[in-house]
């Protein structure tokens, strides 16, 4: 995940669903039990890593957290500026963010929260929150890993599981999110890798800061290091099919026709 990620609201609602089943570890985080093995579900584009398939929960309260930066020219999609210009890169960022929110909110698979940076003041954030009935949250300070971990921690106080995503992936559909949610009914985590070595989605029923510390965000080893940490934690986890995210000029080839920069509306 390359895009930009505690809750600053004054109170957090306690969730009504059953608490996450977990065992406490000495690092203050939680982890599942199981031995690692690999079985490929080619028909679903998914890899399962666990000997025991686990018992599916009949219900699972999930929150989807979308992490986004304000669409300010020169401050977003900077690697695309040589190809699109600062205004064009910001316009594409806004279009990717808006289309993703539209897809996932319309599907209504989970409550969707919009976690933003550098602050809540950009008018596009308020417009999207109002239009799609999103809850709007300020990202914590720190690097991407710290912001992801803080958002996940806050969400897991009011849900059984959380799905963390950025705004860079036009192929992240409601169906893809649905696959992640289904896997979280049986497993501790689910990873949606990006073609460039990052990831476009990370779903969690448990939280360990080891998943977010010491990761070279923006590099080609992010997904592999995350897999390594999941194995070290001995968690059960699933891997979805890889998707393309849009970070560099060569990635523009993966844009659907309707999202071509020429179709994007410049941000205010």
């Amino acid at each position: 995940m390359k895009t930009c990620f505690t809750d600053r609201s004054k109170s957090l609602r306690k969730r009504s669903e059953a608490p996450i089943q977990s065992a406490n570890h000495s690092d203050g985080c939680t982890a599942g039990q199981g031995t690692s093995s690999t079985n490929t579900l080619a028909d679903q584009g998914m890899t399962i890593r666990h000997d025991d398939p686990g018992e599916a929960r009949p219900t699972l309260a999930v929150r989807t957290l979308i992490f986004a930066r304000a669409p300010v020219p020169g401050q977003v999609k900077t690697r695309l500026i040589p190809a699109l210009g600062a205004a064009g890169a910001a316009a594409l960022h806004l279009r990717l963010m808006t289309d993703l929110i539209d897809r996932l909110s319309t599907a209504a698979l989970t409550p969707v929260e919009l976690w933003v940076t550098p602050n809540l003041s950009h008018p596009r954030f308020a417009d999207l929150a109002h239009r799609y009935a999103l809850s709007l949250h300020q990202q914590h300070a720190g690097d991407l890993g710290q912001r992801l971990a803080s958002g996940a921690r806050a969400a897991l106080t009011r849900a059984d599981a959380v799905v963390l995503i950025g705004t860079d992936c036009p192929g992240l559909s409601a169906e893809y999110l649905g696959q992640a949610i289904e896997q979280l009914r049986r497993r501790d985590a689910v990873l949606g890798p990006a073609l460039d070595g990052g990831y476009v989605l990370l779903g969690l029923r448990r939280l360990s800061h080891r998943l977010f510390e010491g990761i070279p965000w923006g590099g080609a080893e992010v997904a592999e290091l995350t897999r390594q940490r999941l194995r070290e934690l001995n968690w059960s986890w699933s891997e979805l099919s890889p998707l393309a995210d849009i970070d560099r000029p060569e990635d523009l080839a993966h844009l659907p026709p309707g999202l071509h920069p020429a179709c994007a509306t410049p941000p205010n």
Side-chain angles (χ1 to χ4, degrees), residues 58-232:
T59 60
L60 187 74
V62 183
R63 295 271 173 160
T64 299
L65 276 55
I66 297 175
F67 291 84
R69 280 192 177 275
V72 178
Q75 297 182 23
V76 293
K77 294 293 179 196
T78 55
R79 286 179 286 181
L80 289 175
I81 290 176
L84 303 178
L92 178 59
H93 170 75
L94 176 60
R95 184 63 183 273
L96 288 169
M97 175 172 59
T98 302
D99 278 28
L100 175 71
I101 290 171
D102 183 74
R103 288 194 302 275
L104 301 190
S105 298
T106 301
L109 299 177
T110 76
V112 176
E113 301 181 5
L114 183 59
W115 286 69
V116 303
T117 191
N119 53 58
L120 302 174
S121 65
H122 196 284
R124 291 290 186 173
F125 292 148
D127 174 65
L128 289 167
H130 175 74
R131 192 190 321 172
Y132 295 101
L134 308 176
S135 61
L136 191 59
H137 304 261
Q138 171 76 48
Q139 291 181 28
H140 277 244
D143 68 11
L144 179 56
Q146 292 170 312
R147 287 177 277 146
L148 287 169
S150 295
R153 185 192 312 115
L156 287 172
T157 67
R158 51 185 178 265
D160 297 311
V162 60
V163 177
L164 311 173
I165 59 178
T167 59
D168 295 335
C169 181
L172 203 162
S173 63
E175 180 182 4
Y176 195 85
L177 176 61
Q179 291 178 7
I181 294 168
E182 181 59 29
Q183 289 305 308
L184 286 171
R185 296 181 65 233
R186 296 174 170 81
R187 307 189 187 281
D188 301 317
V190 58
L191 179 69
L195 292 175
D196 63 4
Y199 59 75
V200 301
L201 177 152
L202 181 64
L204 300 170
R205 275 174 52 177
R206 307 176 178 201
L207 179 63
S208 172
H209 288 270
R210 292 172 64 188
L211 293 174
F212 305 105
E213 294 173 345
I215 301 292
W217 302 105
E221 299 179 352
V222 173
E224 184 53 41
L225 286 171
T226 303
R227 295 181 187 105
Q228 179 181 324
R229 304 287 175 84
L230 288 166
R231 288 190 288 265
E232 291 170 354

Side-chain angles (χ1 to χ4, degrees), residues 216-250:
W217 302 105
E221 299 179 352
V222 173
E224 184 53 41
L225 286 171
T226 303
R227 295 181 187 105
Q228 179 181 324
R229 304 287 175 84
L230 288 166
R231 288 190 288 265
E232 291 170 354
L233 288 166
N234 203 28
W235 286 11
S236 61
W237 57 286
S238 305
E239 186 162 320
L240 305 179
S241 56
L243 297 176
D245 55 12
I246 309 300
D247 290 311
R248 301 159 299 181
E250 56 266 35

Side-chain angles (χ1 to χ4, degrees), residues 9-20:
S9 58
K10 295 183 178 179
S11 63
L12 294 176
R13 175 176 63 84
K14 292 183 66 177
R15 70 176 184 268
S16 60
E17 294 80 3
I20 300 171

